[in-house]
Amino acid sequence: MAKKKEKKVEEFAIGTKDTISVKEYVENAYAIYGKDIMSSSFQQGRQFLDKYDGLKIAYRHMLQTLLDQPDATIKTAALIGDNMKKLHFHGDGGVEDIIYSLALDYKCVEVQGNSGSRTMELEMPGSSGRYTEAKLKPVIREQLKQLMPYVPEELTFTNFYEKRYIPTPIPLGLIAGSKGMGIGYTQRAPAFTADSMYKAFLKNDPSLLRLNYGYSLGTCYDEKSFYDHKTNTIKGPDLSNQKPTPENLAGLKKLWEVGEGRLTLGIPVYNTEIEDRQGFLLVCDPALGIPKKSAQIMEWEKQGLIEVLDLSDVTGKLFFALQPRVRKITLEDLKNEILKNCHVFIKDPLTTIFSLNIACDDKVGHVGLYNWIDFTHWNYTQLYETYRKDALKKLDFEELIWYSFQTVIDLLTDKKNPREDKEIVEIVNAKLSKGTAKDKKHLITLEVVQAIGEKAFSTYRNAKPAKKLEEIEKERKRLQELVIEDKIKEYVMAWTNLKNNGGK
């Protein structure tokens, strides 16, 4: 039987005219996709922090969704649906993660139920949105809602209005920092405390910057401290508030001036005692998974000489404890091992190049932190001035209403001699023109008569014009004497004082 001739691979082809290699095909396809993602005005904010508020688009959309809800806990699944329907046209899993990140990283959202947790040993996701509820913390709602009506907005293709940014005098994205990789691009921005950014800006002094979540830019070890396990607080010096080392100061200056600098994240180490165990408490953000257990630490733990207690929550605490009655190693041995081999600033520190890459309309690039805060601070000030002018204008109109309220009501309700609104304006103004200088300042318009006419009948019976005018004058004086810089300080401290739970 004749053997069937095998077809040679070389004879098989999918085409001869435009055939290219797999490598070339993938490179071209990836480049086209990446270009579309990065250059799209809508998608641009997915990867870059925005110049107006320092937020990525997913966080901005969720904050807007939360602000649109009543001041009550809402089922997380409902928030996800509302967000995706109106603003964020992506998968529900990512939107759910944003809600929990706002609770864990920004601490501006209260969640009832399991929002997830991060420990040094393990990162646990939150429960499905159908099992949890969330709301914006009242203090943050109060800070944001007042100026939101004055933020520019645009219509989405689903016919809902989207705010251009969240009103803020500091880049909000830098409160929690930013990290991750997108289409051919890596984003890494540091997490600074809100108050340190503001103080550094006012004095144009980057040495005042402090890292968020308990990190240190200075030395990181102190002998005198006490940890209260019940309240989860450290009694002792705040090592995260130390002045930067010379190396970190150089990095901060570059970040401050040109938007890129090298920083070493130090982990504060406290000599403390918990439940009759002596040892060393390490504090940092568990989202980064540091500090590390060295090989020696793991060996001592295996031998039963020490115990490592993971007390970390959103702000991580890892306690290296010497077991009672152990004589083989001392506290000094344990301290030296931690400081030298556990990534705690002394040896093998966590040094990172941070870059402030922001989206500025249709452009992207580095920006110095000072210039960035200068812009957000200026923009927030302009919004507040707009709010004040608008509020004063409304008060002026209200004053016109209540100054002539009773006269207009008498004319409107005179059934024996009914009059048109225009005629009422002429009668009232003729009377005011013959009065005092104060009367002449309160000449009414057709809009005033219509506004009075639209009020409920109960308003007529309960009207107290003199009291209303007194309240209007009091509010006008408050607005005129309002110092916007004081309101900015209140805003900054609201974000600075947020806690993991409550934050009322």
Side-chain angles (χ1 to χ4, degrees):
M1 186 175 178
K3 189 176 182 180
K4 189 176 180 180
K5 187 177 179 179
E6 294 182 3
K7 188 175 180 66
K8 291 183 179 181
V9 176
E10 289 81 0
E11 295 177 5
F12 178 78
I14 58 174
T16 57
K17 188 177 180 181
D18 298 317
T19 301
I20 60 174
S21 70
V22 173
K23 182 175 183 296
E24 290 175 303
Y25 179 82
V26 173
E27 285 177 347
N28 291 339
Y30 192 86
I32 293 170
Y33 172 66
K35 182 180 179 182
D36 180 63
I37 290 293
M38 300 296 275
S39 61
S40 167
S41 61
F42 175 76
Q43 300 287 355
Q44 184 173 272
R46 290 178 64 190
Q47 296 192 120
F48 295 102
L49 305 179
D50 190 83
K51 70 172 183 178
Y52 282 99
D53 54 22
L55 293 170
K56 291 185 179 181
I57 196 168
Y59 287 84
R60 184 180 310 113
H61 284 166
M62 183 47 66
L63 282 174
Q64 182 176 337
T65 298
L66 287 162
L67 280 167
D68 288 342
Q69 308 301 320
D71 187 13
T73 53
I74 306 294
K75 186 69 74 173
T76 303
L79 291 170
I80 293 170
D82 195 47
N83 183 269
M84 293 172 63
K85 173 185 176 182
K86 298 177 179 178
L87 303 171
H88 205 68
F89 321 112
H90 293 281
D92 59 332
V95 177
E96 183 177 89
D97 290 342
I98 294 299
I99 296 177
Y100 295 153
S101 177
L102 286 170
L104 293 172
D105 302 321
Y106 288 84
K107 305 179 181 65
C108 64
V109 169
E110 296 174 1
V111 174
Q112 292 185 4
N114 176 24
S115 60
S117 62
R118 296 170 182 152
T119 68
M120 300 303 173
E121 306 290 338
L122 185 65
E123 182 170 343
M124 297 293 291
S127 298
S128 174
R130 63 183 181 273
Y131 297 119
T132 62
E133 297 178 340
K135 63 174 287 190
L136 201 61
K137 290 185 178 178
V139 65
I140 298 304
R141 176 180 290 276
E142 186 66 27
Q143 292 299 326
L144 298 182
K145 71 176 183 179
Q146 190 172 56
L147 297 186
M148 281 297 282
Y150 301 95
V151 175
E153 60 187 13
E154 57 185 22
L155 196 65
T156 68
F157 61 80
T158 52
N159 288 322
F160 291 98
Y161 282 97
E162 173 184 353
K163 293 294 183 180
R164 174 63 184 84
Y165 55 86
I166 299 297
T168 176
I170 55 173
L172 284 179
L174 295 189
I175 291 176
S178 177
K179 58 182 181 295
M181 179 175 290
I183 306 300
Y185 165 79
T186 300
Q187 164 78 322
R188 194 167 188 88
F192 289 123
T193 60
D195 61 332
S196 75
M197 282 192 281
Y198 181 64
K199 291 175 183 176
F201 166 72
L202 291 180
K203 295 189 177 182
N204 194 5
D205 184 1
S207 69
L208 299 177
L209 290 169
R210 297 293 181 267
L211 293 172
N212 211 349
Y213 307 125
Y215 288 115
S216 173
L217 288 166
T219 57
C220 60
Y221 179 74
D222 187 86
E223 290 282 353
K224 301 175 182 178
S225 60
F226 172 73
Y227 178 67
D228 187 340
H229 188 35
K230 292 181 179 179
T231 61
N232 199 25
T233 56
I234 297 174
K235 309 295 183 180
D238 182 6
L239 299 183
S240 64
N241 197 34
Q242 291 182 327
K243 293 182 179 179
T245 62
E247 294 79 12
N248 274 334
L249 182 56
L252 287 173
K253 286 181 178 179
K254 289 184 178 180
L255 202 67
W256 192 249
E257 295 169 0
V258 299
E260 186 171 81
R262 183 186 299 271
L263 298 177
T264 299
L265 306 186
I267 304 169
V269 181
Y270 294 87
N271 184 350
T272 190
E273 180 178 317
I274 301 177
E275 297 176 351
D276 297 327
R277 288 187 178 92
Q278 290 187 328
F280 300 91
L281 189 72
L282 282 60
V283 182
C284 73
D285 179 10
L288 294 180
I290 52 175
K292 305 291 185 183
K293 287 184 183 180
S294 67
Q296 183 64 73
I297 289 290
M298 288 189 286
E299 180 61 28
W300 285 343
E301 195 175 13
K302 184 178 179 181
Q303 294 176 14
L305 301 176
I306 67 171
E307 183 178 6
V308 182
L309 303 177
D310 193 344
L311 307 171
S312 53
D313 43 24
V314 178
T315 301
K317 299 175 183 67
L318 195 65
F319 184 52
F320 292 83
L322 199 64
Q323 291 284 30
R325 296 177 295 279
V326 167
R327 298 292 181 266
K328 190 173 181 179
I329 61 173
T330 65
L331 275 176
E332 190 68 19
D333 295 330
L334 181 57
K335 179 187 75 172
N336 290 335
E337 180 62 28
I338 293 171
L339 295 181
K340 291 179 180 179
N341 298 311
C342 293
H343 295 203
V344 190
F345 226 144
I346 306 301
K347 181 182 178 183
D348 192 21
L350 185 70
T351 301
T352 305
I353 296 178
F354 291 98
S355 297
L356 300 181
N357 294 310
I358 70 168
C360 182
D361 300 322
D362 61 343
K363 296 181 178 62
V364 174
H366 291 338
V367 64
L369 182 53
Y370 176 80
N371 288 336
W372 193 4
I373 299 176
D374 187 43
F375 172 77
T376 55
H377 180 273
W378 170 83
N379 186 64
Y380 189 83
T381 302
Q382 297 303 304
L383 283 178
Y384 229 108
E385 284 290 5
T386 302
Y387 154 74
R388 173 156 53 186
K389 290 178 182 177
D390 187 53
L392 287 170
K393 186 177 179 181
K394 289 177 181 177
L395 285 178
D396 290 342
F397 188 72
E398 283 290 309
E399 186 175 31
L400 290 177
I401 289 175
W402 291 106
Y403 196 82
S404 302
F405 185 82
Q406 195 59 56
T407 304
V408 172
I409 286 297
D410 291 341
L411 293 171
L412 283 172
T413 56
D414 186 359
K415 295 181 178 180
K416 293 183 179 179
N417 190 14
R419 297 178 177 85
E420 296 290 333
D421 290 351
K422 290 183 180 179
E423 187 179 357
I424 293 175
V425 172
E426 293 173 357
I427 294 172
V428 173
N429 284 344
K431 181 179 179 181
L432 291 173
S433 298
K434 298 176 182 178
T436 64
K438 187 176 181 180
D439 290 335
K440 294 175 183 179
K441 287 182 180 180
H442 291 85
L443 298 177
I444 66 172
T445 63
L446 186 61
E447 289 74 22
V448 172
V449 174
Q450 291 172 344
I452 294 174
E454 290 171 357
K455 289 185 178 295
F457 188 75
S458 59
T459 305
Y460 307 154
R461 292 179 297 176
N462 302 324
K464 296 180 180 179
K467 185 177 180 181
K468 290 289 185 181
L469 289 171
E470 184 180 330
E471 291 173 354
I472 289 171
E473 186 57 35
K474 185 178 180 180
E475 178 63 11
R476 179 184 284 114
K477 184 177 180 181
R478 185 192 72 81
L479 287 168
Q480 290 172 340
E481 295 177 352
L482 183 147
V483 179
I484 296 178
E485 205 64 34
D486 290 342
K487 304 304 294 184
I488 291 176
K489 290 177 184 177
E490 289 179 16
Y491 183 105
V492 169
M493 293 314 298
W495 285 89
T496 299
N497 295 329
L498 292 176
K499 305 299 181 185
N500 299 340
N501 297 307
K504 302 292 185 183

